[in-house]
Protein backbone atom coordinates (compact mmCIF):
# COMPACT_ATOMS: atom_id res chain seq x y z
CA UNK A 1 0.00 0.00 0.00
CA UNK A 2 1.23 3.47 -0.73
CA UNK A 3 2.30 5.24 2.44
CA UNK A 4 -0.63 7.47 3.42
CA UNK A 5 1.63 9.61 5.60
CA UNK A 6 2.84 11.36 2.44
CA UNK A 7 -0.62 12.90 2.15
CA UNK A 8 0.15 15.29 4.98
CA UNK A 9 2.96 16.89 2.96
CA UNK A 10 0.37 18.02 0.43
CA UNK A 11 -2.51 18.72 2.77
CA UNK A 12 -0.76 20.78 5.45
CA UNK A 13 0.58 23.48 3.10
CA UNK A 14 -2.92 23.84 1.66
CA UNK A 15 -4.61 24.39 5.02
CA UNK A 16 -1.83 26.76 6.08
CA UNK A 17 -1.97 28.78 2.86
CA UNK A 18 -5.70 28.88 2.25
CA UNK A 19 -8.77 29.21 4.37
CA UNK A 20 -9.26 25.69 5.80
CA UNK A 21 -12.97 25.92 4.93
CA UNK A 22 -11.99 26.36 1.27
CA UNK A 23 -9.71 23.33 1.43
CA UNK A 24 -12.46 21.20 2.98
CA UNK A 25 -14.85 22.46 0.30
CA UNK A 26 -12.39 21.57 -2.46
CA UNK A 27 -11.92 18.12 -0.99
CA UNK A 28 -15.68 17.61 -0.65
CA UNK A 29 -16.15 18.65 -4.29
CA UNK A 30 -13.32 16.38 -5.46
CA UNK A 31 -14.82 13.54 -3.45
CA UNK A 32 -18.35 14.08 -4.75
CA UNK A 33 -17.34 14.45 -8.40
CA UNK A 34 -14.62 11.79 -8.43
CA UNK A 35 -14.62 8.16 -9.39
CA UNK A 36 -14.07 5.37 -6.86
CA UNK A 37 -10.29 5.80 -6.81
CA UNK A 38 -10.62 9.57 -6.33
CA UNK A 39 -13.11 9.06 -3.50
CA UNK A 40 -10.85 6.57 -1.77
CA UNK A 41 -7.90 8.96 -2.15
CA UNK A 42 -9.79 11.91 -0.70
CA UNK A 43 -11.16 9.81 2.14
CA UNK A 44 -7.58 8.86 3.07
CA UNK A 45 -6.92 12.56 3.72
CA UNK A 46 -9.43 12.61 6.58
CA UNK A 47 -6.87 11.19 9.02
CA UNK A 48 -4.45 14.04 8.41
CA UNK A 49 -7.21 16.62 8.30
CA UNK A 50 -8.33 15.43 11.73
CA UNK A 51 -4.73 15.50 13.03
CA UNK A 52 -4.28 19.06 11.78
CA UNK A 53 -7.61 20.18 13.20
CA UNK A 54 -6.65 19.21 16.75
CA UNK A 55 -4.56 22.36 17.01
CA UNK A 56 -6.48 24.45 14.51
CA UNK A 57 -10.01 25.36 13.65
CA UNK A 58 -11.19 23.14 10.81
CA UNK A 59 -14.77 22.10 10.26
CA UNK A 60 -14.74 19.02 8.04
CA UNK A 61 -18.49 18.49 8.24
CA UNK A 62 -19.04 18.95 4.48
CA UNK A 63 -16.47 16.29 3.63
CA UNK A 64 -17.71 13.91 6.31
CA UNK A 65 -21.27 14.33 5.06
CA UNK A 66 -20.18 13.62 1.47
CA UNK A 67 -18.43 10.44 2.63
CA UNK A 68 -21.44 9.34 4.68
CA UNK A 69 -23.84 9.95 1.77
CA UNK A 70 -21.68 8.03 -0.68
CA UNK A 71 -21.19 5.19 1.79
CA UNK A 72 -24.93 4.60 1.91
CA UNK A 73 -24.93 4.07 -1.87
CA UNK A 74 -21.87 1.84 -2.18
CA UNK A 75 -21.61 -1.90 -1.84
CA UNK A 76 -17.89 -2.04 -2.63
CA UNK A 77 -16.11 -3.59 0.33
CA UNK A 78 -12.82 -1.79 -0.29
CA UNK A 79 -14.44 1.59 -0.76
CA UNK A 80 -16.45 1.11 2.43
CA UNK A 81 -13.31 0.02 4.30
CA UNK A 82 -11.66 3.35 3.50
CA UNK A 83 -14.79 5.28 4.46
CA UNK A 84 -14.86 3.41 7.77
CA UNK A 85 -11.25 4.42 8.36
CA UNK A 86 -12.09 8.02 7.48
CA UNK A 87 -15.03 8.13 9.88
CA UNK A 88 -14.00 6.13 12.93
CA UNK A 89 -16.62 7.87 15.03
CA UNK A 90 -19.27 6.36 12.75
CA UNK A 91 -18.12 2.73 12.71
CA UNK A 92 -21.75 1.75 13.32
CA UNK A 93 -22.51 2.86 9.74
CA UNK A 94 -20.23 0.11 8.45
CA UNK A 95 -21.39 -3.20 9.91
CA UNK A 96 -19.44 -6.14 8.59
CA UNK A 97 -16.72 -3.96 7.09
CA UNK A 98 -13.22 -5.05 8.17
CA UNK A 99 -11.46 -2.73 10.59
CA UNK A 100 -7.91 -3.77 9.73
CA UNK A 101 -5.77 -4.39 6.67
CA UNK A 102 -5.29 -8.12 7.21
CA UNK A 103 -9.03 -8.61 7.70
CA UNK A 104 -9.68 -6.68 4.48
CA UNK A 105 -7.21 -8.86 2.60
CA UNK A 106 -8.94 -11.97 3.89
CA UNK A 107 -12.34 -10.58 2.90
CA UNK A 108 -11.31 -9.82 -0.70
CA UNK A 109 -9.44 -13.10 -1.15
CA UNK A 110 -10.75 -14.93 -4.20
CA UNK A 111 -12.75 -11.99 -5.58
CA UNK A 112 -10.90 -11.01 -8.74
CA UNK A 113 -12.46 -7.54 -9.04
CA UNK A 114 -11.74 -6.61 -5.43
CA UNK A 115 -8.22 -8.06 -5.57
CA UNK A 116 -7.53 -6.02 -8.72
CA UNK A 117 -8.75 -2.85 -7.02
CA UNK A 118 -6.79 -3.46 -3.83
CA UNK A 119 -3.51 -4.75 -5.21
CA UNK A 120 -3.26 -3.31 -8.71
CA UNK A 121 -5.12 0.00 -8.61
CA UNK A 122 -4.52 1.00 -4.98
CA UNK A 123 -1.02 -0.48 -4.87
CA UNK A 124 -1.31 -2.64 -1.78
CA UNK A 125 1.38 -5.27 -1.53
CA UNK A 126 0.12 -8.83 -1.67
CA UNK A 127 1.03 -10.77 1.44
CA UNK A 128 3.87 -13.26 0.96
CA UNK A 129 1.69 -15.98 2.40
CA UNK A 130 -1.76 -15.65 0.85
CA UNK A 131 -4.39 -14.93 3.46
CA UNK A 132 -6.93 -17.54 4.34
CA UNK A 133 -10.03 -16.52 2.46
CA UNK A 134 -12.88 -15.59 4.70
Amino acid sequence: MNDPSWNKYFLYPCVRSFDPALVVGWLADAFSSGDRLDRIGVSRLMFWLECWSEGHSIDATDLKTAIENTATKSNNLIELYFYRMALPEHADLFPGIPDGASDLQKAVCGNEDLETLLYNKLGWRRPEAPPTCG
Side-chain angles (χ1 to χ4, degrees), residues 21-43:
L22 282 175
V23 175
V24 170
W26 294 333
L27 292 173
D29 288 346
F31 181 89
S32 297
S33 64
D35 62 16
R36 178 173 287 137
L37 289 175
D38 293 332
R39 291 189 305 266
I40 288 171
V42 172
S43 72

Side-chain angles (χ1 to χ4, degrees), residues 38-119:
D38 293 332
R39 291 189 305 266
I40 288 171
V42 172
S43 72
R44 291 174 69 187
L45 291 170
M46 277 301 302
F47 174 80
W48 296 110
L49 196 58
E50 293 290 325
C51 288
W52 176 266
S53 69
E54 289 178 11
H56 304 81
S57 178
I58 295 180
D59 180 4
T61 302
D62 290 347
L63 181 54
K64 289 180 179 183
T65 300
I67 294 171
E68 289 173 21
N69 290 340
T70 300
T72 64
K73 299 172 192 158
S74 177
N75 63 358
N76 184 280
L77 181 67
I78 295 170
E79 187 174 13
L80 292 170
Y81 168 82
F82 281 100
Y83 298 165
R84 184 176 198 266
M85 296 296 107
L87 303 171
E89 69 277 13
H90 295 295
D92 58 308
L93 296 175
F94 305 98
I97 302 302
D99 63 354
S102 61
D103 289 337
L104 178 62
Q105 289 177 312
K106 287 178 190 174
V108 304
C109 180
N111 182 313
E112 187 177 334
D113 291 338
L114 293 177
E115 286 185 352
T116 298
L117 175 58
L118 189 64
Y119 300 118

Side-chain angles (χ1 to χ4, degrees), residues 2-17:
N2 298 330
D3 184 355
S5 65
W6 283 99
N7 290 336
K8 68 182 173 188
Y9 297 113
F10 299 100
L11 181 64
Y12 287 1
C14 287
V15 294
R16 280 196 310 264
S17 300

